[in-house]
Amino acid sequence: CKSIEKELTASVSYDCRNDSTCVICMECFKNSNHEGHRFVVRDAVGGCCDCGDKEAWKEEGFCKFHNGQFLEF
């Protein structure tokens, strides 16, 4: 979703990320299926949600709002 937060409650799903630095925000985590996945929820200071980013996150971990088709800025 690329939301940028000063303080981000982030979820790290070890089974969905492609990179060890990738996280998704709680809103995206709550709207995706991580049943049976290994994950941890933590507070992060600053950052960007990687939901929908195919380079950062596996598509099966995307939330129902982000399908991996981002508009270029």
Side-chain angles (χ1 to χ4, degrees):
C1 82
K2 297 298 180 197
S3 67
I4 298 173
E5 307 286 339
K6 288 183 180 180
E7 292 185 30
L8 178 71
T9 300
S11 172
V12 179
S13 180
Y14 297 107
D15 297 325
C16 292
R17 66 186 183 176
N18 289 324
D19 180 305
S20 64
T21 64
C22 299
V23 297
I24 58 173
C25 67
M26 282 306 297
E27 186 69 26
C28 289
F29 183 77
K30 289 177 183 177
N31 285 291
S32 54
N33 182 7
H34 297 286
E35 185 174 337
H37 291 186
R38 298 170 300 136
F39 67 90
V40 64
V41 176
R42 64 179 179 188
D43 287 332
V45 178
C48 176
C49 177
D50 292 308
C51 187
D53 182 343
K54 292 179 182 179
E55 292 181 15
W57 216 251
K58 296 176 185 167
E59 290 186 53
E60 60 267 20
F62 292 172
C63 77
K64 63 184 180 181
F65 302 111
H66 304 108
N67 62 6
Q69 296 180 5
F70 281 110
L71 297 174
E72 295 294 322
F73 293 102

